[in-house]
Amino acid sequence: AKDNGNDGRLRFSKQNVVYKSSKTGKVDNIPAAELSVATWRRVCLGHGIKLATSNGHVYKYDGFRDTDYERISEFFKANYKVELTEKDMCVKGWNWGTAKFSGPLLSFDVNDSSVFEIPLASVSQCATGKNEVTLEFHQNDDAEVSLMEVRFYVPPGPADEGADPVEAFAQNVRSKADVIQATGDAVCVFKELQCLTPRGRYDILIYPAFLHLHGKTFDYKIPYTTVLRLFLLPSKDQRQMFFVISLDPPIKQGQTRYHFLILHFSKEEELKLTLNMSEEEVEKRYEGKLSKNMSGSLYEMVSRVMKALVNRKITVPGNFQGNTPGAQCITCSYKAQSGLLYPLERGFIYVHKPPVHLRFEEISSVNFARGTTTTRSFDFEVETKQGNQFTFSSIEREEYGKLFDFVNAKKLHIKNRGFKEAKNNEYSDSDDDQHDAYLERMKAEGKIREEGDGSNDSDEETGEYDSNASESDSGSGGDGSGDEGKKKPAKKAKVVKEKRERKPRKEKKQKDTNAPKRPMSSYMLWLNSSRERIKSENPGISITEISKKAGEMWKQIGKEDKEEWDGKAEEAKKTYEKAMKEYRESGGGSSTPAKKESKKKAGGKKEDKKRKSGGGEKEKEQGGNDSFKSREFISSEESSSDGERKKAKKAKKAKGKPQSRDKVLHCHHGNNRMN
C-alpha cells in the first residue's frame, strides 16, 4: 500500500490496522474500536481506502486492486463491524463548487460528489488576498511531481454579513493545518546553541506544539509531529556531544533540504533552566518528566526537554566499542567529508556532513573492501534493499575486527564473509615494504604495453633463447658434454642480459615522447563526445561522479550504438599503426635498434643453412673450445662495419680452428630452433 506516495506495508488484524512506511519506518496504529467510517474509492493508482476514526483522524491508503474489495469488505464486517462503502469521485472537470471542512480534511464538492480532498496537515502556509486564499504545501522529495499551491476564489458575501468570507475560510484552514503560529509565551529558551546542520548559531524557543529556531539569517519552525527520532551521540574524544533530530518532512532553506537537525555541545557547559509555567501545569502536562527548575549539563537539559515535548525515546549507542578506548564510533569519510559512524542497536548513523541514518531492516547487504589508496585502511559498503549504496571509506584497519564482529552479531548479510581471515592477515603486517598488489598490477600492465610494441620483439626473443639454449642443443643430436659446457654460460648470459635490458627501456621512454599517441578505446571515444552533455544534464557534478555516471550510461547503450563506436576505435587503431610505421621508418623512436636486430636475424638464418651442410663436427669443436663467448659479449661487436663482416665470412670458410663468429652462429642456431 501507499501513503502520501510512499510505499509501505498495511496489515489488517482483528485488534487493529497497522501501516509501516518503508521510507521512514513511521508506524500508523489504528485500534479497531476507534474505526468509524471506511470508504472504498477509485483513485489514480487503482483503488484506495479512506479510514476515519472516532477521534477525528483520517487515514488514506491506495495501491489496491479491484479484486481486493470483496475480501476487505467481508473482513471489515466480520471483525470491525464497519461497512466498507463504495463512493465515486466527481470527474466532470468543473472548478466551481463547495468547500467543506470535515475534521483534518478540506473537501471540494460538486453536486455532493467529491472532486478532491486536501489533508490540512500537508498545508505549510495559508495566505489571503482580495477574494482569494492561497494554500502552500510541504514537498515530498521522492515524488517526481509535487503540488506546490492551490488558490481558491471566495466570492464576497452579502453586505449585511459582518464576517469576511475570505478570513473565515483561512481560519478554518489554519485551525487544522500545519501552519505554525507563535501564540503565547515559549515554555523555555536556549540561547546561542551551535548547530551543524543547518550551520550556524541559533536561539531555540520551545513551544508546546513546535520548535522555533531563530538565527541571524534564517528562522525555522518545526512542529513536533514532523520529528521521527532523537539521537544523543558522544564524540570520539569524549568531550563533546551530538544531539540529532530526524525530521520528515525536512526543513527547507531555498532548494536545500535538511532531514536532520544536529546540535553540537561541550560536556563542560552547564545550565540552570526555569520553565515558563507553574509547577502545577508542569506536573499535569508532563507527568513528572520535567520540573519547573532544573540544572545540569546543557546537552542533558536540551535532550530532556525535547524528549518530554516530542514524546519520543532518545536513541544512544549500544554495546559497540571501537579501537580507541571508550569510543563508541568509528572515524571514516563519506563523500570526501570526514565524520563519525555510530553502530547502533538497530542501525547505523553517520554525522555530520551529510548525515545518514540506515536502519538494519532496510539493509540488504554489507561489504568490506580494501582501501583504494593505501593498505592501512579499508572501506565499509552498505547496500539497501532499494538499490542505494553507501560507502564509508578510510576506516583504520584496527577497527576491522570489531566492526566485522558487530555486523556478524546483528546477522546482516556480508558479501565477503569468507575473507575475514585473509583480511586480518593482510592487515596484520605493518611494514612499509609489504607486497602491494596494486603496484604489481600496474607493473604487469606496463609490461604488456611494452610487449605489444614491435620495437621490443627482438629483445623478447633473445631472452627466450637464453633460458632454453641447452634444451635446444640437446635435441639437435650434438655431443652431450658440449651441451653441459654451454648450459651454465647461457644462464649467466640471461642475468647479464636482463640487467642491460632495463637501461634501453628508460631511454626508449624518452625517445618515444614524439611518437604517435596510442588510439583510444570505443568507450573513451564515446566519453569524450558525451562529457559536455553529461555536465549539462547534471549541473555541479564532480569529475569522479562524471566517470561513474558515464559508466552506467555506457552499460545501457544498445548493441548497434556500441558497434558504431567500435568501428571508430578500429579506424583510430589502423591510423595509429600506419603513423607508427611511418614514424619508425623515418628513424624515430627505437627503429634503428630494431633494424640492427633484424639484420642479425637474417644473417643467422643464412649461416644456419651452412651449418646444416657442415654436420655436427663444428659443434664438437665448439664444445671443447675454452675461448667461448656469450651472445651478449658478441652482440656488442655486431655494430662493426661492413668490412669486418666480410672478414668474418672469409674466416668461416677457412679450414683452421673455428673463430668466435662460428660460436655466434651456433647461438643463433639454438635461438632459431626455439622460435
Side-chain angles (χ1 to χ4, degrees), residues 211-247:
L211 177 71
H212 183 193
L213 269 69
H214 176 68
K216 294 181 179 180
T217 308
F218 299 100
D219 277 14
Y220 303 97
K221 294 178 181 179
I222 305 170
Y224 297 142
T225 55
T226 64
V227 176
L228 285 180
R229 296 176 185 85
L230 302 174
F231 302 90
L232 187 61
L233 309 171
S235 182
K236 194 170 186 179
D237 58 5
Q238 304 297 315
R239 297 179 182 178
Q240 303 170 32
M241 299 292 291
F242 299 104
F243 185 64
V244 183
I245 303 174
S246 176
L247 304 173

Side-chain angles (χ1 to χ4, degrees), residues 341 348 366-368 379-382 390-392 395 403 407:
L341 179 66
F348 296 99
V366 299
N367 182 42
F368 294 87
D379 297 348
F380 181 58
E381 301 171 351
V382 180
F390 300 85
T391 302
F392 303 98
I395 303 176
L403 182 58
V407 172

Side-chain angles (χ1 to χ4, degrees), residues 370-386:
R370 181 173 180 176
T372 55
T373 57
T374 176
T375 58
R376 297 184 180 275
S377 65
F378 68 94
D379 297 348
F380 181 58
E381 301 171 351
V382 180
E383 186 173 346
T384 63
K385 294 177 181 178
Q386 288 78 22

